[in-house]
Amino acid sequence: MNVFLLLKAGFSGFALSLGALMLVFYVVGAFLRVTERNFLRVFMLAGIASFVATYVFLHLKIAAYQESDAMLFLAGCVGGWLSGILSGLTHMKRLLLWLRR
């Protein structure tokens, strides 16, 4: 088992997830002036955008790896993406609400 590949994939998924969350909250906040009451709606939109970004990243990267490494990369990236979503929903709520101003 290649631990460095797993860590690389996990960090990639985490960074893609939080990057897409921050970008969506910044863009929505700049153009639509969303209130704190609508946080979950905007977060769901940001979650879908981060899922699409992670899917495209995986689609491009998995072809470069062998079968066993590809499954490890997939598991690490999905785990990183999920941890990024949970982190964005719990710990980063203040930052995301600040970005929407």
Side-chain angles (χ1 to χ4, degrees):
M1 185 164 122
N2 193 351
V3 176
F4 293 115
L5 180 66
L6 187 63
L7 288 174
K8 176 183 168 183
F11 181 71
S12 298
F14 186 78
L16 279 170
S17 175
L18 286 183
L21 287 175
M22 286 190 202
L23 181 66
V24 167
F25 268 90
Y26 178 74
V27 169
V28 166
F31 294 114
L32 297 178
R33 299 288 179 220
V34 179
T35 63
E36 187 175 343
R37 199 179 73 194
N38 296 332
F39 174 78
L40 284 179
R41 291 179 185 163
V42 176
F43 190 83
M44 287 175 50
L45 173 69
I48 291 170
S50 73
F51 172 77
V52 170
T54 306
Y55 175 76
V56 169
F57 175 74
L58 282 172
H59 187 69
L60 296 173
K61 285 295 265 188
I62 289 230
Y65 292 109
Q66 296 174 355
E67 185 175 333
S68 62
D69 289 342
M71 295 307 286
L72 190 62
F73 191 81
L74 174 69
C77 197
V78 168
W81 176 76
L82 284 173
S83 66
I85 291 291
L86 290 175
S87 175
L89 189 57
T90 57
H91 301 296
M92 298 205 43
K93 186 174 181 178
R94 279 193 198 132
L95 175 67
L96 293 174
L97 287 173
W98 179 75
L99 285 173
R100 72 170 171 83
R101 288 185 208 171

